[in-house]
């Protein structure tokens, strides 16, 4: 997995875009107490469910891998 140049900014963008997408669909309302990791995992699972991104193999799922996959998704938006 090759690290992206500005991955941190893209992860922040992915959280913003994913939150907006989930809210628009009416399936999520994040609380202020929700951690970034919880948001990332929920957004990842939502995008996989809607077939907007390819799922990771079950044995490869980790926070780092989810962050990378969502950063790639955000870079294409």
């Amino acid at each position: 997995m090759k690290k992206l140049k500005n991955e941190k900014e893209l992860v922040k963008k992915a959280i913003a875009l994913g939150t907006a997408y989930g809210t628009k669909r009416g399936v999520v309302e994040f609380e202020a107490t929700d951690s970034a990791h919880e948001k990332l995992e929920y957004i990842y699972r939502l995008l996989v469910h809607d077939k907007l991104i390819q799922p990771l193999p079950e044995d490869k799922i980790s926070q780092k891998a989810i962050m990378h996959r969502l950063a790639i998704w955000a870079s294409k938006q």
Side-chain angles (χ1 to χ4, degrees):
M1 172 170 41
K2 184 178 177 186
K3 186 163 174 100
L4 299 172
K5 190 177 191 180
N6 53 350
E7 192 163 328
K8 284 187 177 185
E9 291 83 24
L10 288 172
V11 169
K12 289 178 185 177
K13 180 180 176 184
I15 290 174
L17 289 172
T19 302
Y21 176 74
T23 304
K24 182 179 168 187
R25 280 203 53 221
V27 294
V28 66
E29 274 191 40
F30 289 115
E31 303 282 328
T33 57
D34 292 339
S35 71
H37 295 297
E38 290 173 334
K39 290 178 184 179
L40 285 170
E41 185 168 352
Y42 188 87
I43 292 166
Y44 166 76
R45 298 220 181 263
L46 176 64
L47 294 175
V48 167
H49 179 268
D50 291 350
K51 297 184 172 127
L52 296 176
I53 60 173
Q54 287 260 342
L56 293 164
E58 284 298 318
D59 60 334
K60 303 284 186 192
I61 293 179
S62 68
Q63 280 297 323
K64 189 174 182 180
I66 289 173
M67 288 171 60
H68 184 72
R69 186 62 55 101
L70 290 178
I72 292 171
W73 173 74
S75 71
K76 296 178 181 178
Q77 298 302 309

